[in-house]
Amino acid sequence: MSTTLATLRQELGLVTGGCKAGTLSAIGNAGGTTIIDTTNFADSYMNSSYYNGRYALLTSGTYSGQIRRVSSYTGSSGTITVADAYGGQVASGVTFELHAIDPTELKNAINRVLARMYYWTYAYPSLAADGDMEASGTTDWTVSNSAVAKETSIVKYGTQSLKVTNSLANGYARTASIPCTPVDMYHVTAVVRADNFTASIVAYDVTNSAAITLTTTPSTSGREWKRLWTSFQVPSGCEQFQIRLTGADADAVIYWDNLLVHQVNKTKLVLPSWITESGNIVEVQAHNRTRTAPENSGVDFIDEESWMPVLTRPSVEQDRTAVNPFYLQFDHTLGYQGYRALCVRPYSSLSADSSTTMANMEWVIAGALLELLRTGILRAPGNQEAEFKNQIAAWKKDWMRLCREYQPHVEQRVRSPWDA
């Protein structure tokens, strides 16, 4: 289950000194220095300095994201006054949070620990940008007689597929142009759910403005996920080509995933940009076609496909000058099959409150607590240092337990990033 940055921040705020959320029940003053919540903050018995020094974060409205320090509090009316004004008068209905620690520091701690946490995934090397369909948005795709969107419900691999909705017959989404040399051979494979429309792969010669002849003409119209595969030789004079994911029907709605394009008879496969160190790669696998459809149809049933480790593991090399610096170097030439690498990948950082992560929330909070301790942001209150040290020991124990449960390579001893 995914968790938002807002939820993680609130939970971390609770365990580091208290986080209390509220909603303005009335408009603040004209100067932008008050927020009023009679439902959650009205308390006539509360001392007027109780919230002094706390951080008041607006989480909705025109000034969402602005943080100010609290200077005073009026319990009878639930009015919180901040030392420095927000960008303007705060409207009724705006939501906010009060924190003991600067919410920006909470966010930074969460993102630092996410970068130290890993999960199992596959890297799919491909000359097609966003071939795994996991990039945010659709800027890597150009359409003709269709519209594209990322789909998160109907997915075969990863968390997203590419949904192509036609407005006219033979609409398509295409890749960016890929540089090539005449006579070179390329292998192409993609996973598709056509939902009773007709889907096909087309290779297009950009230089000569013509379709490229394929060794097979892969197409499908079934409702189940299938893998289409084909290969082609670059024609004379062609310097760039594109791959078009095409729907024949004017009202076609087709889902594409896992588009793999590589040059045959080469020994190098460039890895995605998120591979940041050679240790991310655990195993390299090759796709064995099942040929459940006729021999040369270029169609396989996806549920019966087989990925097997390559017999000789390629080395992971680095070109520090490249946009994608890491690549696989094989001791044999690449064949007519897809390739993928089993990897451990760090969780992505979160920017907006609505940004989500699949990392276990308890695991993130335990790590973020230790990150706040490591940076000196979280300190013992008053003369409670002995009790505070006991809490630190408990938090470290929780972190280690959760690492053993969720971190890849759980059979090995998990070393905490905060161990000396």
Side-chain angles (χ1 to χ4, degrees):
M1 186 177 76
S2 62
T3 309
T4 65
L5 172 60
T7 299
L8 290 171
R9 182 186 60 240
Q10 291 168 11
E11 185 67 19
L12 184 57
L14 280 173
V15 297
T16 56
C19 165
K20 189 170 183 179
T23 303
L24 267 72
S25 55
I27 191 170
N29 66 9
T33 59
T34 63
I35 49 180
I36 304 167
D37 182 354
T38 57
T39 301
N40 300 293
F41 286 88
D43 188 341
S44 299
Y45 296 96
M46 192 74 76
N47 188 291
S48 62
S49 62
Y50 183 79
Y51 293 113
N52 283 9
R54 299 252 172 170
Y55 296 84
L57 165 67
L58 301 183
T59 55
S60 68
T62 303
Y63 308 110
S64 179
Q66 293 189 3
I67 303 169
R68 301 292 186 268
R69 300 294 292 273
V70 175
S71 59
S72 65
Y73 162 68
T74 306
S76 58
S77 61
T79 300
I80 297 165
T81 302
V82 295
D84 299 305
Y86 291 107
Q89 190 173 32
V90 185
S92 176
V94 165
T95 55
F96 66 94
E97 298 168 4
L98 286 191
H99 288 273
I101 294 177
D102 187 340
T104 300
E105 297 293 351
L106 300 179
K107 173 185 174 181
N108 291 342
I110 289 167
N111 282 328
R112 283 196 298 270
V113 77
L114 284 172
R116 298 169 181 261
M117 297 164 58
Y118 293 82
Y119 61 98
W120 290 113
T121 190
Y122 286 101
Y124 290 93
S126 178
L127 294 173
D130 193 28
D132 60 4
M133 314 305 178
E134 294 299 305
S136 176
T138 58
T139 55
D140 291 312
W141 300 93
T142 300
V143 298
S144 174
N145 297 328
S146 67
V148 290
K150 289 296 177 64
E151 170 67 36
T152 58
S153 298
I154 302 174
V155 180
K156 186 59 182 177
Y157 292 112
T159 61
Q160 297 182 146
S161 65
L162 186 72
K163 180 181 179 182
V164 184
T165 303
N166 277 8
S167 55
L168 291 173
N170 298 315
Y172 60 81
R174 68 161 177 82
T175 66
S177 297
I178 300 170
C180 60
T181 302
V183 185
D184 284 344
M185 292 293 299
Y186 286 84
H187 179 72
V188 183
T189 176
V191 173
V192 61
R193 196 179 108 169
D195 282 0
N196 291 333
F197 298 106
T198 300
S200 60
I201 293 176
V202 175
Y204 187 77
D205 177 347
V206 178
T207 310
N208 299 308
S209 302
I212 298 174
T213 301
L214 305 176
T215 56
T216 63
T217 52
S219 65
T220 183
S221 58
R223 291 191 64 86
E224 62 277 276
W225 286 98
K226 291 183 181 179
R227 180 177 292 281
L228 305 186
W229 51 269
T230 188
S231 58
F232 62 88
Q233 185 175 48
V234 177
S236 176
C238 178
E239 297 178 354
Q240 292 182 322
F241 70 87
Q242 300 163 351
I243 301 300
R244 297 179 174 182
L245 306 178
T246 303
D249 311 274
D251 55 347
V253 180
I254 299 173
Y255 304 88
W256 295 89
D257 207 346
N258 199 219
L259 172 62
L260 306 182
V261 183
H262 73 264
Q263 188 175 346
V264 179
N265 298 325
K266 294 295 182 179
T267 59
K268 176 180 175 180
L269 271 182
V270 177
L271 291 164
S273 60
W274 58 261
I275 300 292
T276 57
E277 55 185 83
S278 59
N280 291 147
I281 308 299
V282 177
E283 181 181 81
V284 179
Q285 301 174 350
H287 170 243
N288 297 309
R289 296 202 295 265
T290 56
R291 304 187 189 281
T292 53
E295 173 72 13
N296 292 315
S297 69
V299 183
D300 286 337
F301 287 103
I302 192 71
D303 291 334
E304 298 176 20
E305 72 175 1
S306 173
W307 292 87
M308 298 294 291
V310 295
L311 293 177
T312 304
R313 178 190 168 100
S315 60
V316 182
E317 306 292 342
Q318 183 179 12
D319 177 359
R320 296 180 184 274
T321 65
V323 175
N324 294 21
F326 287 91
Y327 61 93
L328 298 174
Q329 183 64 54
F330 291 76
D331 65 355
H332 58 81
T333 57
L334 302 175
Y336 294 88
Q337 54 193 159
Y339 295 89
R340 70 182 185 184
L342 177 62
C343 307
V344 289
R345 180 176 183 176
Y347 287 94
S348 299
S349 62
L350 306 176
S351 54
D353 275 8
S354 58
S355 300
T356 61
T357 181
M358 294 300 293
N360 174 269
M361 182 168 74
E362 186 183 5
W363 190 23
V364 176
I365 298 304
L369 278 167
L370 295 178
E371 188 63 32
L372 290 171
L373 288 166
R374 185 182 71 84
T375 55
I377 295 168
L378 186 59
R379 300 181 179 89
N383 60 354
Q384 302 175 31
E385 189 164 337
E387 175 59 27
F388 195 63
K389 286 182 178 179
N390 290 334
Q391 291 183 18
I392 292 172
W395 290 337
K396 281 189 174 181
K397 186 178 294 184
D398 272 351
W399 166 255
M400 297 298 291
R401 173 182 61 82
L402 292 163
C403 281
R404 286 191 292 271
E405 183 174 354
Y406 294 107
Q407 194 83 292
H409 304 298
V410 292
E411 72 281 1
Q412 302 175 2
R413 178 188 178 275
V414 180
R415 180 175 173 81
S416 168
W418 297 275
D419 283 351

